[in-house]
Amino acid sequence: LIIASNFKTNHNRKSTKEFIDFINSKNYFSEVRIYPPFTALNHFELTSNIRVGAQNFYPTQKGSFTGEIGFEQLEEFEVDTVLIGHSERRHILGEAQESICKKYDFAKAKECEIVYCVGEPKEVREQGIEAVMSYIWEQFNGIDIDYEKLVVAYEPVWAIGTGLSASLGDIEEVLERLRAKIKAPLLYGGSVKVETTKDILSIKNCGGILVGTASWNVENFSKMIEISDNI
Ligand code: PEP
């Protein structure tokens, strides 16, 4: 199972190092992914199943893109896993499918693991599962779903950072429909908490969780990994 923490715009260099050193010291079996802010990337001494990645990047090796981070800067820290398509980038930062595809193709050419995030807004969820799936399939336009280092994260927009998680039945239904076409591991994300981790990880076709808010506390994140280790 994959247990991933998206720090978003939280933690600094020092607290990230403390967080990662703590997780590293535990020798967990689960596949752990941690996505800190760019400024906290570092040469971490990681055990083999822990990987530190990037929440974003500009699809270039290097160049003149003021304020952006390219792959040369990520490679300095051996980053080999990235988030693409997160709802905050789609909806708050205005990232369109076209630029998401450019990032996807670039990371794929770099043979980097891609955690590709998809999920519907509230008004689409209210229209039922068919509307949800057609919205989600559009988010796969231009995306190579057969890429061998793809991980898909189903994250309903209305559940991210809101404290409202999708129901177990709703998650199961979406994962089952994704599984019909996609062989990559399927994660769920959206207000996962320590208390809900076990039930979510037990859903059929669920290959792990992508967690924001509840993961920023290292004890909570550790508890989630322990739950996963025991499943
Ligand atoms: C996320 O950012 O991917 C996420 C799921 O956030 P939260 O756990 O806070 O809903």
Side-chain angles (χ1 to χ4, degrees):
L1 293 167
I2 298 173
I3 309 298
S5 171
N6 174 12
F7 280 15
K8 312 190 186 186
T9 321
N10 297 281
H11 279 293
N12 57 27
R13 194 170 179 80
K14 182 170 180 283
S15 66
T16 298
K17 186 174 183 316
E18 286 163 2
F19 187 105
I20 291 172
D21 286 348
F22 183 84
I23 298 295
N24 237 335
S25 69
K26 297 285 183 179
N27 295 315
Y28 292 124
F29 312 118
S30 298
E31 284 292 322
V32 176
R33 301 288 181 270
I34 299 168
Y35 299 90
F38 290 131
T39 54
L41 290 175
N42 216 325
H43 292 285
F44 300 106
E45 299 213 344
L46 301 170
T47 52
S48 60
N49 51 348
I50 301 179
R51 285 155 74 178
V52 173
Q55 297 172 23
N56 185 36
F57 60 94
Y58 192 79
T60 188
Q61 182 65 17
K62 60 178 184 171
S64 298
F65 304 98
T66 301
E68 297 294 324
I69 297 288
F71 253 73
E72 183 171 290
Q73 290 79 46
L74 299 185
E75 284 167 352
E76 181 179 11
F77 302 112
E78 285 116 37
V79 165
D80 62 355
T81 176
V82 292
L83 300 182
I84 299 181
H86 191 278
S87 85
E88 286 155 12
R89 296 213 58 85
R90 291 181 193 266
H91 299 282
I92 303 176
L93 285 311
E95 227 171 84
Q97 190 64 20
E98 198 188 343
S99 62
I100 289 172
C101 289
K102 284 191 184 131
K103 291 184 182 187
Y104 192 95
D105 289 343
F106 198 92
K108 182 182 146 191
K110 285 284 174 185
E111 298 181 14
C112 193
E113 176 181 78
I114 298 173
V115 177
Y116 186 68
C117 306
V118 296
E120 81 289 355
K122 189 163 175 278
E123 61 275 16
V124 175
R125 169 50 71 182
E126 283 163 354
Q127 292 164 35
I129 185 67
E130 299 306 333
V132 168
M133 292 316 298
S134 70
Y135 188 94
I136 290 175
W137 290 125
E138 279 188 24
Q139 295 180 316
F140 283 102
N141 276 347
I143 297 296
D144 173 12
I145 58 171
D146 295 319
Y147 176 47
E148 60 189 14
K149 291 185 181 171
L150 167 63
V151 175
V152 171
Y154 168 53
E155 302 205 300
V157 178
W158 49 271
I160 297 179
T162 57
L164 299 170
S165 179
S167 71
L168 298 175
D170 285 345
I171 301 170
E172 182 171 343
E173 190 169 37
V174 172
L175 296 188
E176 191 164 349
R177 288 176 180 238
L178 289 173
R179 174 58 73 234
K181 294 190 193 168
I182 296 175
K183 53 185 184 302
L186 304 174
L187 314 185
Y188 168 76
S191 297
V192 179
K193 299 182 182 66
V194 173
E195 305 80 61
T196 56
T197 296
K198 186 165 184 232
D199 286 345
I200 292 171
L201 290 177
S202 306
I203 293 172
K204 192 173 163 219
N205 294 312
C206 182
I209 47 178
L210 174 55
V211 194
T213 317
S215 71
W216 302 334
N217 172 295
V218 74
E219 274 98 42
N220 279 347
F221 189 53
S222 300
K223 281 185 198 148
M224 292 174 165
I225 306 168
E226 272 161 33
I227 292 166
S228 158
D229 273 8
N230 288 318
I231 280 179

